[in-house]
Amino acid sequence: MQPAIYQQLTNRPDLKHFIRMNPEWYRKLTRNPEEFSEMEKAAKVFYGKTIPQRIERLSGQMQMISMLIQMAGSMKD
């Protein structure tokens, strides 16, 4: 692996963990270091950091809060 790629991985522990969990990316980066941005995109999907995943998570949390408010309201009566 090129030293520049290795340095970027040591500076970002989340990417280092992603590569440990997905060793095929280690092989891809060793052969084609220019695929680093693709690996970052795959890591975002893996960790749930894409915009659609965040919106979905927020939507689920809002539904949970709404359900808790309804339950508290029904217990009050």
Side-chain angles (χ1 to χ4, degrees):
M1 183 176 288
Q2 291 185 354
I5 299 292
Y6 184 75
Q7 184 65 34
Q8 288 179 326
L9 291 175
T10 55
N11 289 340
R12 300 212 20 218
D14 59 328
L15 294 180
K16 192 173 187 178
H17 181 260
F18 174 73
I19 284 192
R20 286 187 176 160
M21 298 297 289
N22 300 288
E24 65 271 5
W25 277 105
Y26 181 84
R27 290 186 293 268
K28 285 182 183 181
L29 289 178
T30 300
R31 294 176 187 143
N32 298 319
E34 61 273 357
E35 289 190 16
F36 188 80
S37 62
E38 294 297 319
M39 190 263 311
E40 285 181 312
K41 290 177 187 175
K44 280 186 178 183
V45 171
F46 178 77
Y47 286 117
K49 293 183 177 180
T50 63
I51 299 292
Q53 289 172 320
R54 288 182 179 189
I55 291 172
E56 185 178 330
R57 193 173 333 129
L58 180 64
S59 173
Q61 290 171 346
M62 294 295 284
Q63 287 177 351
M64 180 66 76
I65 290 170
S66 173
M67 186 178 67
L68 289 173
I69 290 173
Q70 286 177 351
M71 192 174 5
S74 67
M75 291 178 81
K76 206 184 257 188
D77 295 336

